[in-house]
Amino acid sequence: MNTTAMLATNGETGTTMNFPKTLSKPATLDGLLDTLMAGGIDLRAIERARLVAADTGQRADSVMLQLGLVSERQIAEAAAALLGTVVVTIDRYPLVLPDCTTLLTPRFLRSVRALPLSDQDGELVVALADPLNQFVPSAIAEATGRSVRVEVGVSVELEAALARLLPDLDQPEGTADEAGPLEEDAERLKDLASEAPVIRLVNQIIARAVETNASDIHMEPFEDSLRIRYRYDGVLQEAENPPIRMAAAIVSRIKIMARLDIAERRLPQDGRIRLAVRGQDVDFRVSTVASMHGETVVLRVLDRSAVQFDWEKLGLAPAVVERLGSALDLPNGIVLVTGPTGSGKTTTLYTGLLALNAITRKVVTIEDPVEYQLRGINQIQVRPQIGLSFANLLRTILRQDPDVIMVGEIRDLETAQIAVQSALTGHLVLSTLHTNSAAATITRLRDMGLEDYLITAVLRGILAQRLVRRLCMACRRSGEAPAAIVERFGLDAAGHGRPIMLWHPIGCPSCRGTGFRGRQAIAEFLIPDQAVERLIFARADHNEIERAAIAGGMVPMFRAGIAAALAGTTTIEEVVRSIQADT
C-alpha cells in the first residue's frame, strides 16, 4: 500500500496515521513559525531566520536553534501546540521498546529521530523530534500495521533515549573490539568528533545545561557507559547516558571546541568554550583528567544572563549587606570573604566590585580563573607556568595606581604580606580564604605567619558564607514544626506564643520535582572591634573571638540560616546540611 492510499484508509484497518483532528494552524513550517511568534518569539528574529534559511537552504526553525534565538524545548512546545498534541516528558521514555519495534530498524529510527513509546490496543504512540515530517508516522504505521499517535520529543531528550535503548544495534560485527586501537589515532579522533551525530549530541548536552540552569556538566566514562550528570543547586542529577563507544568522540569534540590537545589523554587540561545559546553568549570552563576508563570532563557553565550580581538576589540578610557595604565604602583596608569551594565567594565579591565600579575608581582583579568578565573592571588571569602568580601580579599592579584590588585567593604568606602592604598604602583589597567561619579566618592568617599588629591594622571585615537551596515558591507547603525540632533549635522565641510553622519541599515541573529552585547565601559578618582586637593581641582562639563578635552584634551563620528557614525561603534540613553546625 502506498503512502497516499494509507493516509486515506479507514482507521479500522490498523494503518491510519492518528493525528489529532483539530489543528490550530496548518501542520507546516509556516504554521510552526506563526505558533512561535504567537508564543512570544520576536517577529524580527523569525524574519532573520527566514533570510538565513533562504541563503543556506536550511529550515528556518533549524536556523533559529543554531542562532540561539529559541531553545529545543520552545520548538517542541510550539509544534505540540500546532498539532494539538503534547510534549513527551523524560519519565515517559520507556525502559524497553515495544515489541513491534523489531519491525523498524534502529538505523531508520535514529535517522528520522523517532522513538515508539507504547503499543496498546493497536495504537502505537511515537515521539518525534520533527513532527512536521509526515512521512515518518505514515512509514511507521505501514511497517508495524498499527495506527500511530504522534507526540513531540525534545531533541536532546529523545536522542539520549535512542542512544540508551538502541546501543550498537547497527554497528558492523567486529568493530566494537577495534575501538581501543582507533582511540590511539589522533586523526581518527578528529574525524569522529567532526561527524554530525557527535556534534549534534554535544551541542544538545550543552544546550540542555543552559536551558535548565545547570551550573556544571559532568561526563564520566565507566566500563559500560558514559555517565552524564548535571549539577542543579549544588546537587548532581543523572541524565540519559550515551553508549560508551561514543565517549572518545564526545570528549574529543569538547577538546576541539575548547582548543585543547586531543592527542594528550594522560595529563589534565583546562580550557574555555564560548557559545551562543538562547541568543546569549555563554562561557564554559572545561577541565579534563584521565581516569581508569577514559577521560573525565567537567564543564562549568558561566552564563552571565543567569547570574545576577545583586545583593537582594544573593539572599544575604539586610543587616549583613549593610555591614558589608560600610566596609566596602572605606578608602583602604582588607575585606575578606570566606567559605569552602562552591560557597559563592566569587559571586559575592563580584557583586561588591560592581557596587564599587565607577569612573572615579580604578578597579583591578587578579583571578584564577577569570569566571565572568565585568565591564569597566581590569581583570587579570593568573598564569603560574610563566611566573604570573598572585604575589607577583599583586606587586606589579601596585604600579598601575589602582584604587580597589581584588585578589582571587590568599594562598600563602607572601600574598598575604603584599595584600597587607597594599592596604597600608591606601588601597582597598578584597580577597577570599578557605575557612569555616569568620572568626577562624583570623587564626588562619596568624597560622600563615602574619603578625597580629598587621591583622588589626588592615582588617576591616570578614564575611563567612554558605549556599543553601531555596524552596520552590510554586509548590512549597507549610506545616507546624514538631516539638523535638522546636526544642533542638531553640525556635520558641520566634513564635511569640504561636505555633512555629516551617516550610517543606513538595516538587513540581518548575523545580524539576525537587522542591527547590535556586540557592541563596547564608552569612555572618565579623567587624574587628576593640574587644576582638584585644583578643587578637592576646592570641585567643577562634571560639573566644567568635563569642566576642556575637556580643558585639554579629549574628552567627547558623542562626542566620534558622531565620531563613523560619522565613520560608529554605528548610531546616538544608541549613543543617550546608552549615553543618553542632546542634
Side-chain angles (χ1 to χ4, degrees), residues 493-565:
H496 303 293
R498 296 187 300 273
I500 303 296
M501 306 300 290
L502 294 175
W503 294 82
H504 306 282
I506 299 299
C508 67
S510 65
C511 61
R512 303 177 303 278
T514 64
F516 296 96
R517 189 172 185 180
R519 289 189 289 177
Q520 71 177 92
I522 303 294
E524 62 187 18
F525 192 78
L526 185 152
I527 296 176
D529 56 17
Q530 289 183 354
V532 171
E533 287 183 358
R534 282 196 298 269
L535 290 172
I536 294 174
F537 283 118
R539 304 192 69 80
D541 64 15
H542 70 275
N543 290 319
E544 292 182 73
I545 294 173
E546 183 170 288
R547 284 193 290 269
I550 292 172
M554 182 183 84
V555 177
M557 195 188 313
F558 187 73
R559 297 312 305 177
I562 294 296

Side-chain angles (χ1 to χ4, degrees), residues 267-343:
L267 298 176
Q269 296 188 70
D270 294 300
R272 204 175 184 103
I273 300 171
R274 170 167 287 188
L275 293 174
V277 182
R278 299 184 309 188
Q280 298 284 339
D281 282 338
V282 181
D283 285 343
F284 300 85
R285 203 171 73 210
V286 181
S287 172
T288 70
V289 65
S291 64
M292 181 174 292
H293 299 290
E295 286 182 281
T296 295
V297 181
V298 176
L299 290 85
R300 168 66 59 87
V301 183
L302 303 173
D303 183 1
R304 175 64 189 271
S305 66
V307 177
Q308 295 176 300
F309 299 116
D310 179 84
W311 296 124
E312 185 177 350
K313 300 296 183 184
L314 291 181
L316 290 171
V320 171
V321 173
E322 183 180 353
R323 285 185 153 206
L324 178 58
S326 298
L328 294 178
D329 285 338
L330 296 173
N332 56 62
I334 295 179
V335 178
L336 297 174
V337 179
T338 74
T341 301
S343 60

